[in-house]
Amino acid sequence: MKKEKYYITTPIYYINDKPHIGHAYTTITADTLANYNRLKGRDVYFLTGTDENSQKNIKAAERHFGKTKLDKKEIQEYLDVMSAIWQRTWDEMKITNTDFIRTTEDRHLAAVKEFFTRVWKKGDIYEGFYEGLYCEGCETFISEKELVDGKCPIHKEPPKAIKEKNYFFRLSKYRAELLDYIEKNPEFIMPEGRRKEVISYIREFMEDVSITRESIKWGITVPEVKDQAVYVWFDALINYLTGVGFGTDDKKFKTYWPADLHLVGKDIIKFHCALWPAMLLSAGLPLPKQVFAHGFFTIGGQKMSKSLGNVVDPVEVAKKYGHDALRYYLLREIPFGEDGDFSFERLEERYSSDLANGLGNLVSRVLAMTEKYFNGETPKKIKGDLSEFWKKYEENVENLKLHNALNLIWEQIAICDEIVDKEKPWELAKKDEKKLAEVIYGLLERIRQISWALWPFLPETSEKILTKYGILEIEREKGYSQLKKWGGLEEGQKVEKGDALFPRLEK
Ligand code: ME8
């Protein structure tokens, strides 16, 4: 039987600097969802990459070389070095992306050309004159109304005044169609608050946009408008098509498009929920099934910024606390979709209470008791059922309530702790061996199932537990519906306590 596909993307990031914890947040979440869909047996395509045709990158390159007017070779050299840093970061963080797209690759040029031609032929591009403001930080045209004290409210810099001949995309032509689509497909934009924001933008503010730039020397050029570079957002959004073979590999494109989920931060929702679907409608392509915009977080209550010196490097955090501890903290602490705050203090609290004393301690106690009372061999099976747990778990993950899914897993951990406290296996060992065997089997089997539910979120930890059970490889071969069936753990299976999952933090 052909596997069901699942195509998930992160934004492609600007490479004027190395990744920080905000970028890692989106990428880790996408990784978790990719894993969840793999667990369910789907054919997952997980795309991330770098947005390279941006003025921000060029400015950073100029700073790097200490001069302006770089030649193309110097710019490309800088982009190659920076993009490699992003790829390496995700590798170091054990992110399991299927593909990494760079917008300076030939395959992307091919996709943009093909896409532009379609929209051009549709009659949705016209020549005009742009006179207005442009914020290079946002890489977007900005209106007077949006400025605060003459500056971009996000980047706190005055925008550039621009006067140029440009080509425009008839975005406003798609107003009614977009509103209709959003109304008929409420799951298209999530969470709901963001959907309302987008609807009001489309209704009241959305205008045609300039999609080429005359003065820009670095960017994609297309035959229709040879002397101008394609506007960076128009080019960047197309990456989601390029990644699955648009313009280069029809079979792959048919397999994976439309995307199941574009995961983005709330800062770029308008591009993804208005401009992008309108571009796709114009090109006659299906729309992605969902765009989910998560919140932004601050660092210890402050906005993350270089000048404040509080930019957090995800690789350093993962090195100090472990990949899974970082993943756990990010996914559990901030209700997905809302804004939140990152603090080392909270991370250490969560590490100690939930990971070391919670999960880690439970696994080590139960395995130690199995070793002590049963020579490390799994006792006889008893009946049980966690199907209610799995049902709620799936509901929450599929609705991207990732923090709730983790809550449910930790509820199961608490239930196991209660069983230990109530049944007191060390007392049963003295008087009721049959009951002791039942209690230990029940605990071992619950932990086996918890480990699988945890796998998308904390793959390293989950695999460590299943390795202690000696069943990781055998279970991998089983399908998802088998894994969550009670009784998967066989009598006589040898388990081993081994090392602590989460060593205590050094003060
Ligand atoms: O916007 N909290 O790239 P970008 C949470 N190239 N998430 C954060 C964050 C924070 N403090 N800071 C950044 C671009 N992010 C374009 C995208 S897509 C076709 C083109 C995350 O490098 C969040 O996902 O500015 C946000 O949307 C993204 O980084 C912006 O990355």
Side-chain angles (χ1 to χ4, degrees), residues 213-224:
R213 299 289 315 280
E214 191 176 40
S215 52
I216 298 298
K217 296 290 167 267
W218 183 261
I220 292 184
T221 48
V222 290
E224 287 84 354

PDB file of all heavy atoms in Angstrom, residues 213-224:
ATOM      1  N   ARG A 213      12.437  44.734  -8.398  1.00  0.00           N
ATOM      2  CA  ARG A 213      13.162  45.907  -7.908  1.00  0.00           C
ATOM      3  C   ARG A 213      14.180  46.311  -8.963  1.00  0.00           C
ATOM      4  O   ARG A 213      14.956  45.490  -9.432  1.00  0.00           O
ATOM      5  CB  ARG A 213      13.872  45.578  -6.586  1.00  0.00           C
ATOM      6  CG  ARG A 213      12.958  45.161  -5.435  1.00  0.00           C
ATOM      7  CD  ARG A 213      12.150  46.327  -4.892  1.00  0.00           C
ATOM      8  NE  ARG A 213      12.973  47.516  -4.710  1.00  0.00           N
ATOM      9  CZ  ARG A 213      13.774  47.725  -3.667  1.00  0.00           C
ATOM     10  NH1 ARG A 213      13.843  46.864  -2.702  1.00  0.00           N
ATOM     11  NH2 ARG A 213      14.498  48.832  -3.592  1.00  0.00           N
ATOM     12  N   GLU A 214      14.144  47.611  -9.283  1.00  0.00           N
ATOM     13  CA  GLU A 214      15.009  48.109 -10.345  1.00  0.00           C
ATOM     14  C   GLU A 214      16.446  48.279  -9.857  1.00  0.00           C
ATOM     15  O   GLU A 214      17.400  47.947 -10.532  1.00  0.00           O
ATOM     16  CB  GLU A 214      14.452  49.450 -10.823  1.00  0.00           C
ATOM     17  CG  GLU A 214      15.087  49.960 -12.085  1.00  0.00           C
ATOM     18  CD  GLU A 214      14.412  51.253 -12.548  1.00  0.00           C
ATOM     19  OE1 GLU A 214      14.088  52.095 -11.696  1.00  0.00           O
ATOM     20  OE2 GLU A 214      14.218  51.397 -13.756  1.00  0.00           O
ATOM     21  N   SER A 215      16.564  48.788  -8.628  1.00  0.00           N
ATOM     22  CA  SER A 215      17.890  49.199  -8.154  1.00  0.00           C
ATOM     23  C   SER A 215      18.696  48.057  -7.547  1.00  0.00           C
ATOM     24  O   SER A 215      19.850  48.227  -7.185  1.00  0.00           O
ATOM     25  CB  SER A 215      17.712  50.294  -7.111  1.00  0.00           C
ATOM     26  OG  SER A 215      16.805  49.833  -6.134  1.00  0.00           O
ATOM     27  N   ILE A 216      18.075  46.896  -7.433  1.00  0.00           N
ATOM     28  CA  ILE A 216      18.754  45.810  -6.740  1.00  0.00           C
ATOM     29  C   ILE A 216      19.651  45.029  -7.693  1.00  0.00           C
ATOM     30  O   ILE A 216      19.224  44.603  -8.764  1.00  0.00           O
ATOM     31  CB  ILE A 216      17.703  44.864  -6.119  1.00  0.00           C
ATOM     32  CG1 ILE A 216      16.874  45.610  -5.087  1.00  0.00           C
ATOM     33  CG2 ILE A 216      18.341  43.631  -5.503  1.00  0.00           C
ATOM     34  CD1 ILE A 216      17.635  46.155  -3.923  1.00  0.00           C
ATOM     35  N   LYS A 217      20.880  44.841  -7.252  1.00  0.00           N
ATOM     36  CA  LYS A 217      21.831  44.171  -8.153  1.00  0.00           C
ATOM     37  C   LYS A 217      21.972  42.676  -7.849  1.00  0.00           C
ATOM     38  O   LYS A 217      22.544  41.927  -8.618  1.00  0.00           O
ATOM     39  CB  LYS A 217      23.212  44.849  -8.065  1.00  0.00           C
ATOM     40  CG  LYS A 217      23.193  46.286  -8.541  1.00  0.00           C
ATOM     41  CD  LYS A 217      23.000  46.390 -10.061  1.00  0.00           C
ATOM     42  CE  LYS A 217      22.664  47.791 -10.503  1.00  0.00           C
ATOM     43  NZ  LYS A 217      21.225  48.097 -10.616  1.00  0.00           N
ATOM     44  N   TRP A 218      21.482  42.253  -6.698  1.00  0.00           N
ATOM     45  CA  TRP A 218      21.613  40.832  -6.342  1.00  0.00           C
ATOM     46  C   TRP A 218      20.221  40.224  -6.218  1.00  0.00           C
ATOM     47  O   TRP A 218      19.396  40.689  -5.447  1.00  0.00           O
ATOM     48  CB  TRP A 218      22.357  40.678  -5.011  1.00  0.00           C
ATOM     49  CG  TRP A 218      22.571  39.235  -4.647  1.00  0.00           C
ATOM     50  CD1 TRP A 218      21.817  38.496  -3.789  1.00  0.00           C
ATOM     51  CD2 TRP A 218      23.581  38.366  -5.133  1.00  0.00           C
ATOM     52  NE1 TRP A 218      22.299  37.214  -3.718  1.00  0.00           N
ATOM     53  CE2 TRP A 218      23.390  37.100  -4.538  1.00  0.00           C
ATOM     54  CE3 TRP A 218      24.647  38.522  -6.050  1.00  0.00           C
ATOM     55  CZ2 TRP A 218      24.209  36.006  -4.799  1.00  0.00           C
ATOM     56  CZ3 TRP A 218      25.461  37.430  -6.300  1.00  0.00           C
ATOM     57  CH2 TRP A 218      25.245  36.195  -5.672  1.00  0.00           C
ATOM     58  N   GLY A 219      19.947  39.220  -7.002  1.00  0.00           N
ATOM     59  CA  GLY A 219      18.621  38.609  -6.921  1.00  0.00           C
ATOM     60  C   GLY A 219      18.350  37.838  -8.193  1.00  0.00           C
ATOM     61  O   GLY A 219      19.201  37.781  -9.088  1.00  0.00           O
ATOM     62  N   ILE A 220      17.153  37.251  -8.253  1.00  0.00           N
ATOM     63  CA  ILE A 220      16.820  36.418  -9.406  1.00  0.00           C
ATOM     64  C   ILE A 220      16.275  37.282 -10.535  1.00  0.00           C
ATOM     65  O   ILE A 220      15.449  38.169 -10.302  1.00  0.00           O
ATOM     66  CB  ILE A 220      15.796  35.347  -8.978  1.00  0.00           C
ATOM     67  CG1 ILE A 220      16.494  34.368  -8.029  1.00  0.00           C
ATOM     68  CG2 ILE A 220      15.180  34.645 -10.186  1.00  0.00           C
ATOM     69  CD1 ILE A 220      15.659  33.194  -7.598  1.00  0.00           C
ATOM     70  N   THR A 221      16.765  37.045 -11.744  1.00  0.00           N
ATOM     71  CA  THR A 221      16.183  37.748 -12.887  1.00  0.00           C
ATOM     72  C   THR A 221      15.440  36.741 -13.756  1.00  0.00           C
ATOM     73  O   THR A 221      15.810  35.574 -13.809  1.00  0.00           O
ATOM     74  CB  THR A 221      17.258  38.469 -13.734  1.00  0.00           C
ATOM     75  OG1 THR A 221      18.311  37.551 -13.968  1.00  0.00           O
ATOM     76  CG2 THR A 221      17.795  39.693 -13.022  1.00  0.00           C
ATOM     77  N   VAL A 222      14.373  37.238 -14.388  1.00  0.00           N
ATOM     78  CA  VAL A 222      13.554  36.353 -15.223  1.00  0.00           C
ATOM     79  C   VAL A 222      13.452  36.966 -16.623  1.00  0.00           C
ATOM     80  O   VAL A 222      13.560  38.191 -16.765  1.00  0.00           O
ATOM     81  CB  VAL A 222      12.138  36.173 -14.617  1.00  0.00           C
ATOM     82  CG1 VAL A 222      12.194  35.361 -13.344  1.00  0.00           C
ATOM     83  CG2 VAL A 222      11.472  37.513 -14.350  1.00  0.00           C
ATOM     84  N   PRO A 223      13.264  36.145 -17.646  1.00  0.00           N
ATOM     85  CA  PRO A 223      13.270  36.668 -19.024  1.00  0.00           C
ATOM     86  C   PRO A 223      12.226  37.762 -19.260  1.00  0.00           C
ATOM     87  O   PRO A 223      12.484  38.706 -19.993  1.00  0.00           O
ATOM     88  CB  PRO A 223      12.936  35.443 -19.880  1.00  0.00           C
ATOM     89  CG  PRO A 223      13.185  34.267 -19.028  1.00  0.00           C
ATOM     90  CD  PRO A 223      13.097  34.693 -17.607  1.00  0.00           C
ATOM     91  N   GLU A 224      11.067  37.669 -18.611  1.00  0.00           N
ATOM     92  CA  GLU A 224       9.994  38.644 -18.852  1.00  0.00           C
ATOM     93  C   GLU A 224      10.418  40.068 -18.472  1.00  0.00           C
ATOM     94  O   GLU A 224       9.991  41.026 -19.085  1.00  0.00           O
ATOM     95  CB  GLU A 224       8.723  38.268 -18.081  1.00  0.00           C
ATOM     96  CG  GLU A 224       7.960  37.077 -18.631  1.00  0.00           C
ATOM     97  CD  GLU A 224       8.515  35.723 -18.146  1.00  0.00           C
ATOM     98  OE1 GLU A 224       9.557  35.717 -17.475  1.00  0.00           O
ATOM     99  OE2 GLU A 224       7.907  34.685 -18.474  1.00  0.00           O
TER     100      GLU A 224
END
